[in-house]
Every structure is written in C-alpha cells, then in structure tokens.
C-alpha cells in the first residue's frame, strides 16, 4: 500500500501541467490575434470622416494609405512581455525544485545502500552492541545477588551475549569471503545488524527495571555507594601490591614476559583517581538530600572501579601464569621430546609425507634445543617458551596428550584473557576487527581448539593495540578544553573516556555508561 503522499502528488502534478498548457495556448492565441490585427486592417476604409482642408487634413493623409506604427509595436511588446513572463516562471520553478526541502515524488523503491555503506553500518553495530554488553556486565557486578529479583537482568545480558556472539560469527565468515554471492553477502551484513539490534533491545527492555531495583536516584543510593566504596578500598590495597608484583616480574623474567601488562598499574591508579572524585560527588549529593544527583557520578565511579579491577587482575593473572608456566616448561620439553622420538620410530601414523615429516622433525628439534638453552641461560619468557614447544609438537599432526595439553590450555587461556582485558579498558578506541578476532578466540577456546584460540587472541590483541595507537589519548594535544563534572577539567578524564566509562562527545565527556542498550545506556548524566 502506498501512502497518501505518494499517491496524491502525481495527480496534483498532472493538474498543474494541464493548467500551464491551457495558459500557454491562450497566450499564443492572444498573441497571434494581436499580430494579425494590422494585416486584417490594411486597405480598409477609415470609418472616421476625413477632415476637409488645411493642415490637419494633410497630416492625416499618410495614415490612411498604410499601417499605423502603433499597430505593429503593440503586438511586439505584448509578445516580448509574454516571453519574459514565461522565462521568469521557468527560472523560478527550476530554482524552487533545486532548493526544495520537502520531498517531491516519493519513490516506492528507494535506492539500496551500497555494500560499503552496509559494511560500515555492520561494523558500527558490532562495536556499539559489544560496548553495551560490556558496560551492562560491569554494572551487574555491583548488584548484590537477590535471587529472582536480579535474574531478569542477568537473563537479558546472557541473551544479548548470545545474539552478539552470533553476530560476530556471521561477521567473521563474511571477512573470510563466506558467502561469495553478492546478494547473500549483503544479507549476511543485514543479519549482523539485526542480531546487534536485538542484543541492544534485550538490554534496553530491562534498563528501567534495574534503575527501580537499585534506586540510585532515591533511597537505594546509600547502599550502592557503600558497595562501591568497599570495592574502591579493596582495589586501592591490591593496586599497591600489584606495583610490587610488577617490579618482581621485571627482575625475574624478560621484558617480553611482562609486556602484556605494561602500564597497567599506572592506568589502574588513574581510574582510581577518577573514581575518588566521582565517589565524593555522589556522597555529597546523598548527604545533602539530593539523591537525584547521585546516579551519574556513582555510575562513573563504579565503571572506573570495575576497570581498575580488570587492570590489577591482569597483573595478578599474568604473575600466576608465568609462575605456573615456569614450573611446566621442563615437563613440556620432556613430553615433546618423547613425542618426537615416537614419530621417528614410526610408531604413530602421520598424514604427512616422509619429506614433510623429516623437515618438521628438524624444526621441532631446533625449537626444543633453543628453549632448553633459554631455560638454563637466565631470565626468559616461560609462556612464550611453552607456546613454542606446543606449536613445534603440534606441527607433527600426531595429536597431543598429557602435559602438552595442559601447556596448550594454559597458553590459550592466558592469551584470551589478556586480549579481553585490553579491549575492556580501551574499548572506546577498539574497532570491530579486533573484537571479532577476540570473539573468535573465545569460541575456539570453548570448543577446545586451543592452537587457533591462542592465535586468534594474539591477533586480536595486536589489532586492538593498533587501534589504540591510532586513536591516541582522548582530548590530548588538541587544544580543546573538555568539561568534566561540574564544568571543570577532571583528573583521570581521558582514561575514563578511553575506557568507555564516559560516553564522550565533541564538547564534553558525556554521560556515564550504564546497563542498557543503545537507547538507554547514556541515561545517567554527571552532576
């Protein structure tokens, strides 16, 4: 069914055309009459009696022998005027059509967006939905477990995560050229956008209910403040310990071993400084009887505390993994050498040709020898050593058992966790490609495909770091003074914007990010 706008305009346009044609014909007839009038009067007798004699009679004599000059001039003037009026009308109509701001004829089949447009839309949808899921998960971590009262919000989050995971899977196949048909590829992108929209809708639907349950703008703000302040104090102590841990890691291992958490302690301190100011604002609002001014600062503080926890947790995780890896390396070396010996004896069937097998055995021997030399030679990177051992044995295509499986799982989990942490605390700068690789790494890890999970996670981390380098520090070096809470520049503001704690705009740092989808996540503004 077409709208009245679409149906009505063609008829009105046709009526206007008929009126214009009628006017043109009438003007032509009148002009022709004027032009023919002199011809029609030539030779006719003057109906007015002539003068008898004298000067007047002699002056009038020539006019009776030919056509009057006025009879020729008047039609020409009328024709010129008609032409000028017609030209003016044409120019006016043309100019009005070019500058028209209201729609004219509405096409029933508007042009479809180009593949590049649809691809950009899909990328943006993935990033937005992923941000909404991450922020929603962060806020729910501050929510005490109340059984049935809190289950709807966790259920909506799990449903959104499922939709987002499916969207990333479709996008990843699209990147790999599947499907190949142009129409099917466009439909795949439409599917990505649709899945992301559904993920956001699930979260949007529960945002108001969560606000009612938490009561951040009412009596519930006091209890929420206490939870956030307790987490803040706990993290402050953990941050001090994490700084000592990083110093110890630098003394024991190579720089490549500690590189994944480089700068994490400093970033955690930055988030905590930002959280301090926001918690103070929220506490003042609550104590002065203005609970409606509590939600924005409190949500910003919760986001900063949550990300400080991610950063400090990353240092603690890496320290534990390096310690476990260092204990596992000798056993992994022994296990890999045993597998190589079995392959050489021909006790295990391999899909490789004899030449390929001998070449891979030689490379594996070289890798294992290099790792042994590093272990005995001084500081080294235990996780990287395990990764090389596992890959060297894995290239023989004879399967893994025992200690090598344990080593592969430790390496893959560490890579996925490291990429996850980095994306979480830099999400305002990280694009769709890095997030898609991370989602793929999570899927592979869940499926037990440890080698591919490790490779995808490393690629995700590399892409994310590239995005952050390209993005730079928000508002730094631009000469722009960005208003923080209460209109003043705020300590830790750039880190809060980079981490997606605040939804930045060109003019200010924006509202606090909260549980919800695209339509509700920015509902809590700062005071």
């Amino acid at each position: 069914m077409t709208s009245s706008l679409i149906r009505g305009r063609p008829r009105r346009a046709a009526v206007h055309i008929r009126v214009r044609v009628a006017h043109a014909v009438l003007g032509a007839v009148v002009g022709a009459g004027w032009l023919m009038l002199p011809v029609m009067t030539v030779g006719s007798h003057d109906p007015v009696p002539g003068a008898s004699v004298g000067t007047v009679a002699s002056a009038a004599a020539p006019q009776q022998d030919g056509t009057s000059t006025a009879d020729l001039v008047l039609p020409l003037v009328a024709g010129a005027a008609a032409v000028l009026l017609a030209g003016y009308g044409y120019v006016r109509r043309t100019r009005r059509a070019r500058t028209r701001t209201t729609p004219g004829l509405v096409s029933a089949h508007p042009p479809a967006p180009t593949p590049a447009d649809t691809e950009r839309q899909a990328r943006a949808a993935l990033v937005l939905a992923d941000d909404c899921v991450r922020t929603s998960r962060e806020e729910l971590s501050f929510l005490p477990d109340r059984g049935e009262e809190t289950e709807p919000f966790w259920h909506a989050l799990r449903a959104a995560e499922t939709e987002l995971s499916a969207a990333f899977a479709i996008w990843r196949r699209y990147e790999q050229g599947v499907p190949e048909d142009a129409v099917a590829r466009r439909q795949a992108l439409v599917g990505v956008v649709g899945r992301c929209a559904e993920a956001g809708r699930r979260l949007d639907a529960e945002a108001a209910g969560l606000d009612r349950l938490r009561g951040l703008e009412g009596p519930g703000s006091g209890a929420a403040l206490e939870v956030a302040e307790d987490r803040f104090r706990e993290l402050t102590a953990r941050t001090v310990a994490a700084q000592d841990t990083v110093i110890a890691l630098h003394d024991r291992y190579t720089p490549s071993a500690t590189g994944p958490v480089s700068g994490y302690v400093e970033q955690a301190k930055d988030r905590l400084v930002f959280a301090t100011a926001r918690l103070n604002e929220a506490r003042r609002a609550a104590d002065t009887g203005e609970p409606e001014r509590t939600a924005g600062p409190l949500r910003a503080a919760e986001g900063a505390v949550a990300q400080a926890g991610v950063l400090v947790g990353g240092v603690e995780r890496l320290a534990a993994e390096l310690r476990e890896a260092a204990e596992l390396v000798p056993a992994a070396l022994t296990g890999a050498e045993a597998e190589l010996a079995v392959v050489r004896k021909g006790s295990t069937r391999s899909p490789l040709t004899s030449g390929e097998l001998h070449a891979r055995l030689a490379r594996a021997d070289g890798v294992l020898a290099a790792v042994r030399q590093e272990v005995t030679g001084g500081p080294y990177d235990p996780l990287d050593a395990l990764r090389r051992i596992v890959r060297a044995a894995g290239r023989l295509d004879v399967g893994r058992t025992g200690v090598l499986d344990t080593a592969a799982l430790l390496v893959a989990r560490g890579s996925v966790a490291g990429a996850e942490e980095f994306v979480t605390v830099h999400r305002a700068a990280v694009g769709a490609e890095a997030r898609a690789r991370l989602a793929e790494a999570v899927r592979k890890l869940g499926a037990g495909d440890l080698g591919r999970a490790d490779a995808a996670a490393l690629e995700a981390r590399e892409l994310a770091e590239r995005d952050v380098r390209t993005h730079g520090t928000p508002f730094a070096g631009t000469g722009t003074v960005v208003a923080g809470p209460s209109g003043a520049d705020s300590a830790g503001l750039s880190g809060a914007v980079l981490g997606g704690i605040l939804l930045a705009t060109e003019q200010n740092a924006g509202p606090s990010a909260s549980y919800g989808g695209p339509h509700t996540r920015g509902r809590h503004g700062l005071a």
Side-chain angles (χ1 to χ4, degrees):
M1 179 182 292
T2 57
S3 69
S4 59
L5 179 64
I6 299 175
R7 294 194 305 268
R9 282 194 179 273
R11 287 200 295 269
R12 290 199 299 270
V15 171
H16 291 170
I17 291 172
R18 288 196 293 271
V19 170
R20 292 190 187 113
V21 170
H23 288 170
V25 171
L26 180 60
V29 171
V30 172
W34 275 97
L35 291 173
M36 292 296 295
L37 184 59
V39 178
M40 295 170 62
T41 58
V42 171
S44 64
H45 297 285
D46 191 350
V48 180
S52 56
V53 290
T55 308
V56 176
S58 61
Q63 295 180 0
Q64 295 180 11
D65 295 335
T67 302
S68 171
T69 305
D71 290 338
L72 293 176
V73 171
L74 286 176
L76 291 175
V77 171
V83 171
L84 287 174
L85 288 174
Y88 171 75
Y90 172 78
V91 171
R92 187 181 177 194
R93 286 194 303 273
T94 303
R95 184 177 300 171
R96 186 169 53 188
R98 289 176 179 174
T99 59
R100 184 192 300 271
T101 57
T102 56
L105 296 178
V106 179
S107 173
H109 302 285
T114 65
D117 293 336
T118 310
E119 192 172 303
R120 281 192 295 270
Q121 184 182 7
R123 281 197 182 94
L126 286 169
V127 170
L128 179 57
D130 192 46
D131 281 349
C132 291
V133 166
R134 291 176 184 276
T135 301
S136 299
R137 190 186 302 125
E138 284 176 356
E139 181 167 358
L140 289 184
S141 70
F142 288 87
L143 192 64
D145 186 7
R146 301 183 188 176
E148 293 183 357
E149 286 186 310
T150 57
E151 176 55 28
F153 313 114
W154 287 104
H155 177 74
L157 177 61
R158 289 191 294 269
E161 289 172 339
T162 300
E163 295 289 347
L164 181 60
S165 177
F168 272 124
I170 297 172
W171 172 261
R172 182 61 182 140
R173 289 195 295 271
Y174 176 87
E175 286 184 315
Q176 295 170 336
V178 179
E180 297 181 356
D181 178 70
V183 175
R185 286 178 67 77
R186 182 179 180 280
Q187 288 302 316
L189 293 177
V190 171
V192 169
V193 175
R195 293 277 191 171
C196 292
E198 178 62 16
R201 188 195 66 79
R202 294 274 190 154
L203 297 172
D204 278 329
E206 300 296 335
L210 181 62
D211 285 348
R212 288 192 296 270
L213 179 64
R214 300 198 70 191
L216 297 185
E217 296 182 352
S221 60
L225 261 172
E226 291 180 2
V227 172
E229 289 168 345
D230 289 343
R231 289 265 301 265
F232 174 84
R233 285 188 287 269
E234 174 198 353
L235 270 170
T236 300
R238 286 174 58 194
T239 301
V240 174
Q243 189 168 16
D244 296 336
T245 300
V246 169
I247 293 173
L249 293 178
H250 281 300
D251 292 340
R252 185 175 300 177
Y253 305 109
T254 59
S256 66
T258 59
V261 296
S262 177
Y264 273 24
V265 172
E266 290 73 19
Q267 292 183 59
K269 291 179 179 178
D270 185 71
R271 300 295 196 276
L272 291 177
V273 167
F274 180 82
T276 300
R278 304 294 79 74
L279 286 172
N280 289 339
E281 287 181 22
R283 176 58 68 185
R284 282 195 301 269
D287 292 344
T288 57
E290 298 178 292
E292 69 279 0
R293 295 170 60 88
T294 304
L298 178 55
R299 274 300 307 133
E302 288 177 343
V305 169
Q307 291 196 12
V310 171
L311 292 161
V312 171
V315 173
E316 296 168 344
R317 172 194 57 78
L318 181 62
E321 289 173 353
L322 287 171
R323 185 167 54 250
E324 185 178 355
E327 295 172 355
L328 196 57
V329 164
L333 280 170
T334 302
E337 289 170 345
E339 285 198 6
L340 265 62
V342 170
V343 171
R344 284 192 177 93
K345 292 179 181 179
S347 303
T348 302
R349 295 178 60 86
S350 173
L352 302 174
T353 64
S354 177
E356 291 174 334
L357 186 59
H358 284 299
R360 294 191 181 188
L361 281 170
R363 284 196 293 270
D365 284 334
V367 170
L368 298 182
V371 170
R372 281 197 178 278
Q373 185 175 1
E374 290 175 6
V375 171
T376 59
Y380 73 107
D381 183 348
L383 282 171
D384 181 64
L386 277 185
R387 179 178 289 110
R388 286 183 288 155
I389 293 171
V390 169
R391 288 182 177 178
R395 290 191 182 98
L396 301 176
D397 290 336
V398 294
R400 288 191 304 265
T401 57
V403 67
L404 292 181
D405 279 337
T406 304
L409 182 59
L410 176 63
V411 168
R413 280 179 176 172
S415 298
V416 173
E420 183 75 38
E421 292 158 359
F422 189 87
V423 171
T424 296
V425 299
H426 300 90
R427 57 176 173 258
V430 178
E433 285 75 10
R435 297 174 194 243
R437 298 300 186 282
L438 177 56
E440 180 185 15
V442 172
R443 289 195 304 272
K444 297 297 184 183
L445 182 62
D449 193 347
L450 303 180
R452 287 190 174 88
D454 177 50
L458 292 176
E459 186 179 4
R461 176 68 182 261
E462 182 179 353
L463 290 171
E465 290 178 349
R466 183 197 65 187
D467 289 342
V468 172
R469 287 192 299 270
T470 302
H471 184 270
T473 303
F475 313 120
T478 62
T480 302
V481 178
V482 181
S486 303
D489 187 26
S490 178
L493 178 62
S494 293
V497 172
L498 183 62
I501 298 167
L502 300 179
L503 305 177
T505 64
E506 294 181 358
Q507 292 78 22
N508 55 61
S512 306
S514 302
Y515 180 104
H519 301 295
T520 57
R521 66 178 186 139
R523 63 191 179 277
H524 294 310
L526 293 177

